[in-house]
Amino acid sequence: MGLAENQLCFDLIQDWLKKNPKASICSPEGLNEFREIAIFQDYHGLPEFRNAVANFMEKVRGNRVAFDPDRIVMSGGATGAHETIAFCLADPGEAFLVPTPYYPGFDRDLRWRTGVKLIPVDSDSSNNFMVTKEALENAYEMAQLDNIKVKGLLITNPSNPLGTILDRETLRSIVRFINEKNIHLVCDEIYAATVFSQPDFISVAEILQEDIECNLDLVHIVYSLSKDMGFPGLRVGIIYSYNDAVVSCARKMSSFGLVSTQTQYLIASMLSDNEFVEMFIRESKSRLAARYRVFTRGLDQVGIECLKTSNAGLFLWMDLSRLLKEQTFEAEMELWRVIIHEVKLNVSPGCSFHCLKPGWFRVCFANMDDETMQVALSRIKTFVNKEAGTKKSKKNLRWQGSLKLLNSPRIYDDFINSPHSPIPQSPLVRARN
């Protein structure tokens, strides 16, 4: 439950592949295209691939915006896209503002090889973690006082780990802010198609079409198929920039992390099937909504609250602050270790996301089948009920259970190896009880 992965619609993908064997050059039906796809291709990527990705991005956003395929730059997943955009926009020692809580991998993706700094923009539960103009101004001013040059603002919409979306007025405020400061805006929209209930997702691309003053050269979108389609292993990352110089620079750098032509060919065929794409987006939202309802209902039965404004993503932002021995991050880590080692659930502590208040945990719900989800809920319920009884009797927190384990241990934690990872390896155990 520590990996934000979408496995709820693989049956739809498999059905499509069975009906369209020519989409794979490794099938008898697609073998005639093998030679053409296997030889050298330029860094722009297959035209049909870029057209199909642009088409998919438009459909995910309700066809309210248009994307120019010539502005699409390939990358090895969103990880590579973020690093590339950081190299393009900033020099070592310069910084990006990032609203908290944020995906811990940004500390790796944007910093390790680029030398770029990340400056947190504080938000907390008092206003449902909204990004405010006041917080942006404060972070910017603090950077100025420390003689750090701010080159941009990075936002994740929908949010990881919150599962929330930015409303229109907040997006407009953000665009006005970066335009006033003349800094770049990088919008990570990799969860765009995971919005499963109202209000609808609003892309920054929609805001730019409105009557708002903004230098378009300052705006860039990072996208991928890892979350919306559930294809993290295919490493399909996208940079979409409104800046010609960034497109040119990023395309040259993309040679270090291209999407394989075989993958491009398959994705181009799949995403060009408009009937399938529309069905997939619709069904994915429906399944995510159903899973969300079942999981939150189960948590509610034992009094666990989640961020109520969440309507997107592959996870919940769960409040376990009442289970802390004291309201500190040390107590949060102590509770996390109990959950990992004794309850056998791999959830992610809020401190790894730079959350300001202890007690929040991210729990992923879309990377398992229904049976495993029920196992997880059962473990949570047993643990919380045990803890409630322990507090009444004033005994030390210990959870005992009879665990029958299947399969070998696997690492399933997407903040492992982040500078803020609390332990070097998370011992997730795939189990059925």
Side-chain angles (χ1 to χ4, degrees), residues 53-54 56-68 155-159 164-175 185-195 199-212 214 216 219-224 228 238-242 285 311-312:
V53 169
F56 183 72
M57 291 174 67
E58 292 169 3
K59 288 190 179 301
V60 165
R61 290 152 183 80
N63 291 315
R64 296 184 297 272
V65 293
F67 291 101
D68 180 357
I155 62 171
T156 306
N157 182 35
S159 167
T164 56
I165 61 173
L166 297 176
D167 60 51
R168 188 175 301 277
E169 189 47 49
T170 299
L171 282 168
R172 289 179 63 87
S173 175
I174 287 171
V175 169
L185 174 61
V186 179
C187 300
D188 182 318
E189 297 187 349
I190 67 173
Y191 290 94
T194 69
V195 179
D200 288 334
F201 170 70
I202 302 173
S203 170
V204 69
E206 293 183 51
I207 302 302
L208 298 180
Q209 293 180 160
E210 298 176 355
D211 182 22
I212 188 168
C214 181
L216 295 183
V219 183
H220 325 274
I221 296 173
V222 169
Y223 190 57
S224 83
D228 286 353
I238 297 297
I239 296 170
Y240 188 91
S241 178
Y242 293 88
K285 290 174 182 286
N311 70 328

Side-chain angles (χ1 to χ4, degrees), residues 77-127:
T79 295
H82 275 294
E83 185 184 61
T84 297
I85 205 74
F87 269 124
C88 288
L89 301 182
D91 290 325
E94 297 177 337
F96 286 90
L97 305 178
V98 191
T100 62
Y102 66 78
Y103 167 55
F106 285 157
D107 293 311
R108 170 199 65 214
D109 301 349
L110 280 88
R111 293 176 50 213
W112 278 9
R113 297 199 297 182
T114 66
V116 168
K117 299 178 183 292
L118 298 183
I119 298 176
V121 178
D122 292 341
S123 67
D124 58 53
S125 57
S126 63
N127 67 346

Side-chain angles (χ1 to χ4, degrees), residues 1 8 287-299 316 345 363-381 430-433:
M1 306 191 84
L8 299 184
R287 295 184 186 186
L288 284 170
R291 179 60 64 87
Y292 176 87
R293 285 193 299 270
V294 172
F295 208 89
T296 52
R297 190 181 303 124
L299 295 178
L316 299 168
L345 290 176
V363 52
C364 301
F365 59 74
N367 61 340
M368 63 192 72
D369 57 27
D370 291 338
E371 180 186 358
T372 306
M373 181 191 64
Q374 291 301 330
V375 171
L377 282 174
S378 176
R379 291 185 181 190
I380 292 172
K381 291 175 182 178
R430 186 75 180 262
R432 291 297 180 192
N433 70 308

